[in-house]
Amino acid sequence: MLLDTDAFSKVVMTARDREPQVADWRRRLTGRTIVIAAQTEGELRFGALSARWGPARLAGLEAQLARHATAPVTTEVVKAFAEVRAACRAAGHPLADKLHMGDAWVAATAIAHDLPLLAGDRIYRDVPGLSLLEDTSH
């Protein structure tokens, strides 16, 4: 199961369920291996550095990153990135927009590694070739 940055932050990095969907995500992830995209790892590290986390919080982030694999950026991921953006552009889907470039890399990683994606961001809905784990908390 590939987790987008928001899902990883809420499920793995936060002990409490501040939103109803997070409790649902935790239940649905039971027994599944959590993987993140290189894009997500970069976003997590950038967020921590930008927020000037102290040594203890940074160590906590490092510990969580060490527990969960980061999917490698392979030729297949790069090809999937180009293909998903082209398909989204042709379909008029906003994932093709430059603003969503990071999300396109996450989607491409999920597609190339044949992993379902868990994300709270609706940008991933109706992306061609993407298996999305839908929110069932509603």
Side-chain angles (χ1 to χ4, degrees):
M1 171 70 54
L2 190 80
L3 270 62
D4 187 26
T5 308
D6 66 328
F8 188 88
S9 295
K10 291 173 183 174
V11 171
V12 176
M13 298 300 299
T14 305
R16 292 182 287 139
D17 297 344
R18 295 182 178 151
E19 302 168 32
Q21 79 184 102
V22 177
D24 177 58
W25 288 351
R26 287 185 200 280
R27 281 190 301 277
R28 298 177 81 200
L29 288 169
T30 301
R32 293 183 182 231
T33 300
I34 295 173
V35 179
I36 60 172
Q39 174 71 27
T40 293
E41 182 176 338
E43 288 175 358
L44 290 165
R45 290 178 181 283
F46 171 73
L49 293 172
S50 295
R52 298 178 186 242
W53 284 8
R57 267 186 99 183
L58 286 172
L61 173 61
E62 290 300 329
Q64 290 297 352
L65 291 173
R67 286 186 189 99
H68 305 286
T70 297
V73 178
T74 61
T75 300
E76 290 77 22
V77 172
V78 175
K79 287 178 181 178
F81 172 77
E83 291 166 359
V84 78
R85 286 198 69 216
C88 285
R89 176 170 284 162
H93 191 288
L95 193 71
D97 297 343
K98 195 173 189 177
L99 174 66
H100 299 293
M101 190 87 59
D103 297 322
W105 279 110
V106 171
T109 301
I111 291 167
H113 290 284
D114 195 27
L115 295 168
L117 176 65
L118 176 63
D121 191 344
R122 296 181 190 273
I123 191 69
Y124 297 108
R125 288 202 176 157
D126 301 319
V127 171
L130 180 63
S131 174
L132 188 60
L133 187 64
E134 295 291 337
D135 183 10
T136 61
S137 64
H138 298 93

Short mmCIF file of all heavy atoms in Angstrom, two decimals, residues 5-50:
data_model
loop_
_atom_site.label_atom_id
_atom_site.label_comp_id
_atom_site.label_asym_id
_atom_site.label_seq_id
_atom_site.Cartn_x
_atom_site.Cartn_y
_atom_site.Cartn_z
N THR A 5 1.68 11.69 1.12
CA THR A 5 2.25 12.43 2.24
C THR A 5 1.24 12.72 3.33
O THR A 5 1.53 12.52 4.52
CB THR A 5 2.88 13.74 1.73
OG1 THR A 5 3.77 13.43 0.65
CG2 THR A 5 3.65 14.44 2.84
N ASP A 6 0.05 13.15 2.95
CA ASP A 6 -0.95 13.48 3.98
C ASP A 6 -1.35 12.25 4.78
O ASP A 6 -1.46 12.30 6.00
CB ASP A 6 -2.17 14.18 3.38
CG ASP A 6 -2.98 13.29 2.46
OD1 ASP A 6 -2.40 12.41 1.79
OD2 ASP A 6 -4.21 13.49 2.38
N ALA A 7 -1.55 11.13 4.10
CA ALA A 7 -1.94 9.91 4.79
C ALA A 7 -0.82 9.41 5.70
O ALA A 7 -1.07 9.02 6.84
CB ALA A 7 -2.33 8.83 3.78
N PHE A 8 0.41 9.43 5.22
CA PHE A 8 1.55 9.00 6.03
C PHE A 8 1.67 9.89 7.26
O PHE A 8 1.86 9.39 8.38
CB PHE A 8 2.85 9.03 5.22
CG PHE A 8 4.01 8.42 5.93
CD1 PHE A 8 4.27 7.06 5.84
CD2 PHE A 8 4.87 9.20 6.69
CE1 PHE A 8 5.37 6.49 6.50
CE2 PHE A 8 5.96 8.65 7.35
CZ PHE A 8 6.20 7.28 7.25
N SER A 9 1.55 11.19 7.08
CA SER A 9 1.66 12.12 8.20
C SER A 9 0.60 11.87 9.25
O SER A 9 0.87 11.89 10.45
CB SER A 9 1.56 13.57 7.71
OG SER A 9 2.64 13.87 6.87
N LYS A 10 -0.62 11.63 8.80
CA LYS A 10 -1.73 11.46 9.73
C LYS A 10 -1.77 10.08 10.38
O LYS A 10 -2.15 9.94 11.53
CB LYS A 10 -3.05 11.73 9.02
CG LYS A 10 -3.22 13.19 8.65
CD LYS A 10 -4.44 13.41 7.80
CE LYS A 10 -4.55 14.86 7.37
NZ LYS A 10 -5.66 15.08 6.43
N VAL A 11 -1.39 9.05 9.63
CA VAL A 11 -1.48 7.68 10.14
C VAL A 11 -0.21 7.27 10.88
O VAL A 11 -0.28 6.67 11.95
CB VAL A 11 -1.76 6.68 8.99
CG1 VAL A 11 -1.64 5.25 9.47
CG2 VAL A 11 -3.14 6.93 8.40
N VAL A 12 0.94 7.59 10.33
CA VAL A 12 2.20 7.11 10.90
C VAL A 12 2.83 8.12 11.85
O VAL A 12 3.30 7.76 12.92
CB VAL A 12 3.20 6.75 9.76
CG1 VAL A 12 4.55 6.34 10.32
CG2 VAL A 12 2.62 5.63 8.89
N MET A 13 2.84 9.38 11.47
CA MET A 13 3.56 10.38 12.25
C MET A 13 2.74 10.96 13.41
O MET A 13 3.29 11.59 14.29
CB MET A 13 4.03 11.53 11.34
CG MET A 13 5.01 11.10 10.27
SD MET A 13 6.54 10.38 10.90
CE MET A 13 7.20 11.75 11.85
N THR A 14 1.43 10.75 13.41
CA THR A 14 0.56 11.30 14.44
C THR A 14 -0.07 10.15 15.23
O THR A 14 -0.65 9.25 14.62
CB THR A 14 -0.55 12.17 13.81
OG1 THR A 14 0.07 13.16 13.00
CG2 THR A 14 -1.40 12.84 14.86
N ALA A 15 0.04 10.20 16.52
CA ALA A 15 -0.48 9.12 17.35
C ALA A 15 -2.00 9.16 17.47
O ALA A 15 -2.65 8.13 17.58
CB ALA A 15 0.15 9.18 18.74
N ARG A 16 -2.58 10.36 17.45
CA ARG A 16 -4.02 10.50 17.65
C ARG A 16 -4.76 10.61 16.32
O ARG A 16 -4.21 11.11 15.34
CB ARG A 16 -4.33 11.75 18.48
CG ARG A 16 -3.85 11.63 19.91
CD ARG A 16 -4.22 12.86 20.72
NE ARG A 16 -3.35 13.97 20.31
CZ ARG A 16 -3.74 15.22 20.14
NH1 ARG A 16 -4.99 15.56 20.36
NH2 ARG A 16 -2.91 16.16 19.79
N ASP A 17 -5.99 10.15 16.33
CA ASP A 17 -6.86 10.26 15.16
C ASP A 17 -7.65 11.56 15.29
O ASP A 17 -8.67 11.61 15.96
CB ASP A 17 -7.83 9.08 15.07
CG ASP A 17 -7.10 7.76 14.87
OD1 ASP A 17 -5.92 7.78 14.50
OD2 ASP A 17 -7.72 6.72 15.09
N ARG A 18 -7.16 12.61 14.66
CA ARG A 18 -7.81 13.91 14.75
C ARG A 18 -8.99 14.03 13.79
O ARG A 18 -9.80 14.93 13.92
CB ARG A 18 -6.80 15.01 14.48
CG ARG A 18 -5.72 15.06 15.54
CD ARG A 18 -4.75 16.17 15.30
NE ARG A 18 -3.76 16.19 16.38
CZ ARG A 18 -2.53 16.60 16.26
NH1 ARG A 18 -2.10 17.07 15.11
NH2 ARG A 18 -1.72 16.57 17.28
N GLU A 19 -9.05 13.16 12.81
CA GLU A 19 -10.13 13.18 11.83
C GLU A 19 -10.73 11.78 11.76
O GLU A 19 -10.02 10.79 11.88
CB GLU A 19 -9.58 13.57 10.46
CG GLU A 19 -8.88 14.92 10.43
CD GLU A 19 -8.11 15.14 9.14
OE1 GLU A 19 -8.54 14.64 8.09
OE2 GLU A 19 -7.07 15.80 9.20
N PRO A 20 -12.04 11.68 11.53
CA PRO A 20 -12.68 10.35 11.45
C PRO A 20 -12.05 9.45 10.39
O PRO A 20 -11.94 8.25 10.60
CB PRO A 20 -14.14 10.67 11.10
CG PRO A 20 -14.35 12.08 11.51
CD PRO A 20 -13.02 12.76 11.39
N GLN A 21 -11.63 10.02 9.28
CA GLN A 21 -11.06 9.20 8.21
C GLN A 21 -9.77 8.52 8.64
O GLN A 21 -9.44 7.44 8.15
CB GLN A 21 -10.84 10.02 6.94
CG GLN A 21 -9.60 10.88 6.97
CD GLN A 21 -9.44 11.75 5.76
OE1 GLN A 21 -9.72 12.93 5.85
NE2 GLN A 21 -9.02 11.22 4.67
N VAL A 22 -9.03 9.11 9.57
CA VAL A 22 -7.75 8.53 9.98
C VAL A 22 -7.97 7.20 10.70
O VAL A 22 -7.23 6.24 10.48
CB VAL A 22 -6.93 9.52 10.82
CG1 VAL A 22 -5.63 8.89 11.31
CG2 VAL A 22 -6.63 10.79 10.01
N ALA A 23 -8.98 7.12 11.55
CA ALA A 23 -9.31 5.86 12.22
C ALA A 23 -9.66 4.80 11.19
O ALA A 23 -9.24 3.63 11.30
CB ALA A 23 -10.46 6.06 13.21
N ASP A 24 -10.41 5.19 10.16
CA ASP A 24 -10.75 4.27 9.08
C ASP A 24 -9.49 3.81 8.36
O ASP A 24 -9.32 2.62 8.08
CB ASP A 24 -11.71 4.96 8.10
CG ASP A 24 -12.06 4.08 6.91
OD1 ASP A 24 -12.58 2.96 7.13
OD2 ASP A 24 -11.80 4.50 5.77
N TRP A 25 -8.60 4.75 8.06
CA TRP A 25 -7.35 4.39 7.38
C TRP A 25 -6.55 3.40 8.22
O TRP A 25 -6.03 2.43 7.70
CB TRP A 25 -6.52 5.63 7.14
CG TRP A 25 -7.03 6.55 6.08
CD1 TRP A 25 -8.06 6.32 5.21
CD2 TRP A 25 -6.55 7.85 5.79
NE1 TRP A 25 -8.24 7.41 4.40
CE2 TRP A 25 -7.32 8.36 4.73
CE3 TRP A 25 -5.54 8.64 6.33
CZ2 TRP A 25 -7.11 9.63 4.20
CZ3 TRP A 25 -5.33 9.90 5.81
CH2 TRP A 25 -6.11 10.38 4.75
N ARG A 26 -6.43 3.65 9.50
CA ARG A 26 -5.66 2.76 10.38
C ARG A 26 -6.23 1.34 10.32
O ARG A 26 -5.48 0.37 10.23
CB ARG A 26 -5.66 3.26 11.81
CG ARG A 26 -4.80 4.47 12.05
CD ARG A 26 -4.78 4.82 13.55
NE ARG A 26 -4.38 6.17 13.78
CZ ARG A 26 -3.12 6.60 13.78
NH1 ARG A 26 -2.14 5.76 13.56
NH2 ARG A 26 -2.85 7.87 14.02
N ARG A 27 -7.56 1.22 10.39
CA ARG A 27 -8.18 -0.11 10.32
C ARG A 27 -7.87 -0.78 8.99
O ARG A 27 -7.56 -1.97 8.94
CB ARG A 27 -9.70 0.01 10.49
CG ARG A 27 -10.16 0.17 11.92
CD ARG A 27 -11.67 0.04 12.05
NE ARG A 27 -12.41 1.02 11.26
CZ ARG A 27 -12.67 2.26 11.63
NH1 ARG A 27 -12.24 2.69 12.81
NH2 ARG A 27 -13.35 3.08 10.86
N ARG A 28 -7.95 -0.03 7.92
CA ARG A 28 -7.76 -0.60 6.58
C ARG A 28 -6.29 -0.93 6.29
O ARG A 28 -6.01 -1.72 5.40
CB ARG A 28 -8.32 0.36 5.54
CG ARG A 28 -9.84 0.52 5.78
CD ARG A 28 -10.48 1.47 4.87
NE ARG A 28 -10.72 0.79 3.61
CZ ARG A 28 -10.92 1.41 2.47
NH1 ARG A 28 -10.90 2.70 2.41
NH2 ARG A 28 -11.14 0.73 1.38
N LEU A 29 -5.39 -0.35 7.03
CA LEU A 29 -3.97 -0.62 6.84
C LEU A 29 -3.47 -1.79 7.68
O LEU A 29 -2.35 -2.26 7.49
CB LEU A 29 -3.14 0.63 7.16
CG LEU A 29 -3.25 1.75 6.14
CD1 LEU A 29 -2.62 3.02 6.68
CD2 LEU A 29 -2.64 1.34 4.82
N THR A 30 -4.29 -2.26 8.59
CA THR A 30 -3.89 -3.37 9.46
C THR A 30 -3.44 -4.57 8.61
O THR A 30 -4.17 -5.02 7.73
CB THR A 30 -5.05 -3.78 10.39
OG1 THR A 30 -5.42 -2.65 11.18
CG2 THR A 30 -4.65 -4.93 11.30
N GLY A 31 -2.24 -5.03 8.89
CA GLY A 31 -1.70 -6.19 8.18
C GLY A 31 -1.10 -5.88 6.81
O GLY A 31 -0.61 -6.79 6.15
N ARG A 32 -1.15 -4.63 6.39
CA ARG A 32 -0.59 -4.26 5.08
C ARG A 32 0.78 -3.61 5.26
O ARG A 32 1.04 -2.95 6.26
CB ARG A 32 -1.49 -3.26 4.36
CG ARG A 32 -2.82 -3.84 3.95
CD ARG A 32 -3.59 -2.78 3.18
NE ARG A 32 -4.90 -3.26 2.80
CZ ARG A 32 -5.37 -3.18 1.56
NH1 ARG A 32 -4.66 -2.65 0.60
NH2 ARG A 32 -6.57 -3.62 1.30
N THR A 33 1.63 -3.79 4.28
CA THR A 33 2.93 -3.14 4.27
C THR A 33 2.76 -1.73 3.73
O THR A 33 2.16 -1.53 2.68
CB THR A 33 3.92 -3.92 3.38
OG1 THR A 33 4.05 -5.24 3.91
CG2 THR A 33 5.27 -3.24 3.33
N ILE A 34 3.29 -0.76 4.46
CA ILE A 34 3.22 0.64 4.06
C ILE A 34 4.49 1.01 3.31
O ILE A 34 5.60 0.75 3.78
CB ILE A 34 3.05 1.56 5.28
CG1 ILE A 34 1.70 1.30 5.95
CG2 ILE A 34 3.22 3.02 4.90
CD1 ILE A 34 1.51 2.03 7.26
N VAL A 35 4.30 1.61 2.14
CA VAL A 35 5.40 2.08 1.30
C VAL A 35 5.11 3.54 0.97
O VAL A 35 3.95 3.94 0.88
CB VAL A 35 5.48 1.24 0.00
CG1 VAL A 35 6.59 1.71 -0.90
CG2 VAL A 35 5.63 -0.24 0.31
N ILE A 36 6.16 4.33 0.78
CA ILE A 36 5.98 5.71 0.34
C ILE A 36 6.78 5.95 -0.93
O ILE A 36 7.72 5.21 -1.23
CB ILE A 36 6.36 6.74 1.43
CG1 ILE A 36 7.83 6.61 1.84
CG2 ILE A 36 5.43 6.63 2.61
CD1 ILE A 36 8.32 7.71 2.77
N ALA A 37 6.40 6.99 -1.65
CA ALA A 37 7.13 7.40 -2.85
C ALA A 37 8.32 8.27 -2.43
O ALA A 37 8.31 8.90 -1.37
CB ALA A 37 6.21 8.19 -3.78
N ALA A 38 9.33 8.35 -3.29
CA ALA A 38 10.46 9.24 -3.03
C ALA A 38 9.97 10.67 -2.86
O ALA A 38 10.49 11.43 -2.03
CB ALA A 38 11.47 9.14 -4.17
N GLN A 39 8.96 11.04 -3.63
CA GLN A 39 8.35 12.37 -3.53
C GLN A 39 7.85 12.62 -2.10
O GLN A 39 8.07 13.69 -1.53
CB GLN A 39 7.19 12.49 -4.52
CG GLN A 39 6.39 13.75 -4.42
CD GLN A 39 7.12 14.98 -4.91
OE1 GLN A 39 7.99 14.89 -5.75
NE2 GLN A 39 6.76 16.14 -4.39
N THR A 40 7.19 11.63 -1.52
CA THR A 40 6.67 11.76 -0.16
C THR A 40 7.80 11.88 0.85
O THR A 40 7.76 12.73 1.74
CB THR A 40 5.75 10.57 0.18
OG1 THR A 40 4.59 10.65 -0.65
CG2 THR A 40 5.35 10.55 1.64
N GLU A 41 8.83 11.06 0.70
CA GLU A 41 9.96 11.17 1.63
C GLU A 41 10.58 12.56 1.55
O GLU A 41 10.89 13.18 2.58
CB GLU A 41 11.03 10.11 1.34
CG GLU A 41 12.17 10.19 2.34
CD GLU A 41 13.22 9.12 2.19
OE1 GLU A 41 12.94 8.05 1.61
OE2 GLU A 41 14.35 9.36 2.67
N GLY A 42 10.74 13.07 0.34
CA GLY A 42 11.28 14.42 0.18
C GLY A 42 10.39 15.47 0.81
O GLY A 42 10.88 16.41 1.47
N GLU A 43 9.08 15.35 0.63
CA GLU A 43 8.14 16.31 1.22
C GLU A 43 8.18 16.25 2.75
O GLU A 43 8.12 17.30 3.41
CB GLU A 43 6.72 16.04 0.73
CG GLU A 43 6.51 16.42 -0.72
CD GLU A 43 5.12 16.04 -1.25
OE1 GLU A 43 4.32 15.44 -0.50
OE2 GLU A 43 4.85 16.36 -2.41
N LEU A 44 8.27 15.05 3.30
CA LEU A 44 8.33 14.91 4.76
C LEU A 44 9.60 15.56 5.31
O LEU A 44 9.56 16.30 6.30
CB LEU A 44 8.28 13.44 5.15
CG LEU A 44 6.94 12.74 4.92
CD1 LEU A 44 7.11 11.22 5.01
CD2 LEU A 44 5.89 13.23 5.91
N ARG A 45 10.73 15.28 4.66
CA ARG A 45 12.00 15.86 5.11
C ARG A 45 12.00 17.38 4.96
O ARG A 45 12.46 18.10 5.86
CB ARG A 45 13.16 15.24 4.35
CG ARG A 45 13.41 13.78 4.70
CD ARG A 45 14.56 13.19 3.88
NE ARG A 45 14.78 11.80 4.20
CZ ARG A 45 15.40 11.35 5.27
NH1 ARG A 45 15.89 12.20 6.15
NH2 ARG A 45 15.56 10.05 5.46
N PHE A 46 11.49 17.87 3.84
CA PHE A 46 11.41 19.31 3.61
C PHE A 46 10.53 19.98 4.67
O PHE A 46 10.89 21.02 5.23
CB PHE A 46 10.87 19.59 2.21
CG PHE A 46 10.56 21.05 1.96
CD1 PHE A 46 11.59 21.96 1.79
CD2 PHE A 46 9.26 21.50 1.93
CE1 PHE A 46 11.32 23.31 1.58
CE2 PHE A 46 8.96 22.83 1.71
CZ PHE A 46 10.00 23.75 1.53
N GLY A 47 9.38 19.37 4.93
CA GLY A 47 8.47 19.94 5.93
C GLY A 47 9.12 20.03 7.30
O GLY A 47 8.98 21.04 8.00
N ALA A 48 9.84 19.00 7.69
CA ALA A 48 10.50 18.99 8.99
C ALA A 48 11.60 20.05 9.06
O ALA A 48 11.72 20.78 10.06
CB ALA A 48 11.09 17.60 9.26
N LEU A 49 12.39 20.16 8.00
CA LEU A 49 13.46 21.16 7.98
C LEU A 49 12.88 22.58 7.94
O LEU A 49 13.37 23.47 8.64
CB LEU A 49 14.38 20.94 6.78
CG LEU A 49 15.21 19.66 6.82
CD1 LEU A 49 15.92 19.44 5.50
CD2 LEU A 49 16.20 19.69 7.99
N SER A 50 11.83 22.78 7.16
CA SER A 50 11.21 24.10 7.06
C SER A 50 10.60 24.54 8.37
O SER A 50 10.60 25.72 8.71
CB SER A 50 10.14 24.10 5.98
OG SER A 50 10.72 23.90 4.71
#
